[in-house]
Amino acid sequence: MKKIILDCDPGHDDMIAIILACSSDEIDLMGITTVAGNQTGDKTFINTLKVLTLINRIDIPVARGFDKPIFRKLTVAPRIHGVSGLDGADLPEPNIELLERVKTLDIHAVDFIIKSVKESDEKVTIVPTGPLTNIAIALLKEPSIKDNIDRIILMGGAVYDSNITPASEFNIYVDPEAAKIVFESGIPITMVGLDVTNKAILTFKDIEELNNLQGGVSGVIAPLLKFFAQANKDFFGIGGAPLHDALAVSYIIMPDIIKTKYLNVTIETEGKYTRGRTVVDVYNITGKEPNVDVAFEVNSLAFKKLIKNTIKKLDQR
Ligand code: RIB
Ligand code: CA
């Protein structure tokens, strides 16, 4: 069982990442920290509380983080996730007890990450699935936490693919300076980028199958995923819902689900047209030391099965 902290910006695919992290026997979810990205910080925070309420996991600690990148103005993604960040169905309002506990906890995401890592009796895996602002600031504020972080398994970047610009992936693009701090931290990193996550898809047929279950969880998740799938089809021509963030979490549950190569990755922070590009040295042209395990292959069928089974099990709880 791995102790993890999930840092996210729900977001439809973040929602599935939360569901996986809460449901797997392989994961000890220490807490969820939220960051602005797919939508503004207030919305990604509330969306997280709504998802935990839906799956009845109001025991999970939640701490809200930054509402904007370190230097740049915030970029959100309403075309893909809608105005709420989770358009497509009405999630339950956050459970009052959970809201009260979060208010009592009253800790910033950065301080929650620092405190949790420092106090953990075993090394912690950090799983960022949004812009890396919280992680970068935590590393700057308390560098010693590096000694108790086993690995950062992040959804972000790409070797050849892109989405927010022709050169970059959204999470890295939003806060490239934060990404640079994380990628240069010396902490072991697994980069689960678009090259594999755009193959980790629930098709419209898969989503219809979930919708037909009409369970307490599937009945809400299915229309949300249908909205997300339609947005991805309309904008990128993808044949369903690419569950980017859920693949990063599934790698903890099933380490064979992706194959990686150990390569040098640098982050472009200055390019006029290439801001946020993860520059992956596939052929070791620079001769620079590798620093990232980069995902190149994915077992899409195993992934799809994991997602469906997890949602079906939650219906039965
Ligand atoms: O580029 C995809 C990533 O950006 C995912 O994490 C999605 O949720 C958005 O945050
Ligand atoms: Ca995300």
Side-chain angles (χ1 to χ4, degrees):
M1 189 177 249
K2 272 196 192 295
K3 294 176 81 132
I4 81 162
I5 295 171
L6 177 64
D7 183 78
C8 58
D9 64 332
H12 295 74
D13 53 325
D14 302 77
M15 169 183 70
I16 306 298
I18 291 171
I19 287 173
L20 280 185
C22 287
S23 309
S24 170
D25 294 337
E26 303 301 321
I27 291 176
D28 173 3
L29 181 58
M30 299 171 73
I32 297 176
T33 51
T34 66
V35 66
N38 284 322
Q39 262 301 346
T40 52
D42 53 334
K43 291 178 180 177
T44 60
F45 175 66
I46 286 293
N47 287 341
T48 300
L49 302 184
K50 288 183 172 182
V51 172
L52 290 174
T53 301
L54 173 71
I55 62 172
N56 196 23
R57 287 305 306 272
I58 62 171
D59 57 301
I60 301 291
V62 181
R64 179 171 167 182
F66 283 100
D67 287 341
K68 69 173 291 296
I70 300 174
F71 299 112
R72 298 171 188 263
K73 70 176 181 59
L74 177 62
T75 303
V76 292
R79 286 179 310 202
I80 303 297
H81 297 279
V83 170
S84 72
L86 275 177
D87 280 18
D90 290 331
L91 281 152
E93 284 308 305
N95 173 284
I96 295 297
E97 202 184 307
L98 172 59
L99 268 174
E100 283 310 311
R101 187 177 322 107
V102 170
K103 275 195 195 125
T104 314
L105 189 68
D106 190 24
I107 184 171
H108 189 280
V110 167
D111 298 316
F112 178 84
I113 291 166
I114 291 169
K115 184 172 185 297
S116 304
V117 171
K118 285 179 85 169
E119 292 176 358
S120 176
D121 55 3
E122 60 186 76
K123 287 201 169 191
V124 176
T125 298
I126 307 289
V127 185
T129 65
L132 291 163
T133 316
N134 291 336
I135 315 305
I137 300 300
L139 293 175
L140 291 180
K141 185 171 180 180
E142 187 56 69
S144 69
I145 61 172
K146 290 182 186 179
D147 301 333
N148 212 25
I149 293 174
D150 182 53
R151 179 168 286 269
I152 294 175
I153 300 174
L154 62 89
M155 191 282 137
V159 183
Y160 307 109
D161 209 338
S162 62
N163 55 11
I164 187 70
T165 75
S168 50
E169 177 280 325
F170 182 81
N171 288 337
I172 309 299
Y173 172 85
V174 170
D175 198 341
E177 287 76 18
K180 186 173 175 62
I181 289 165
V182 172
F183 276 69
E184 293 179 356
S185 66
I187 297 169
I189 293 173
T190 300
M191 182 180 110
V192 183
L194 292 174
D195 315 278
V196 289
T197 65
N198 274 335
K199 295 176 189 140
I201 289 171
L202 282 193
T203 64
F204 286 92
K205 186 166 173 286
D206 295 320
I207 296 168
E208 193 50 32
E209 183 189 321
L210 287 175
N211 194 51
N212 292 337
L213 297 173
Q214 281 305 301
V217 173
S218 56
V220 177
I221 297 292
L224 285 164
L225 290 181
K226 190 167 181 185
F227 173 92
F228 183 55
Q230 192 59 52
N232 276 278
K233 181 171 187 285
D234 294 346
F235 208 76
F236 299 111
I238 293 174
L243 299 179
H244 309 285
D245 301 332
L247 185 58
V249 173
S250 68
Y251 176 57
I252 298 167
I253 301 165
M254 303 168 71
D256 292 338
I257 204 162
I258 60 171
K259 296 280 180 276
T260 63
K261 290 177 188 172
Y262 191 44
L263 299 167
N264 180 271
V265 181
T266 51
I267 308 295
E268 176 58 66
T269 57
E270 289 157 26
K272 185 176 177 187
Y273 303 108
T274 54
R275 160 194 162 174
R277 180 77 201 162
T278 45
V279 182
V280 182
D281 191 353
V282 176
Y283 304 113
N284 191 22
I285 294 168
T286 65
K288 286 196 282 186
E289 277 301 302
N291 58 329
V292 179
D293 291 290
V294 179
F296 274 78
E297 293 172 44
V298 55
N299 182 337
S300 305
L301 280 179
F303 174 73
K304 188 189 291 226
K305 196 171 163 203
L306 174 66
I307 301 296
K308 287 182 180 178
N309 288 344
T310 301
I311 293 172
K312 286 173 184 170
K313 275 188 203 149
L314 284 171
D315 272 349
Q316 287 144 23
R317 278 195 189 164

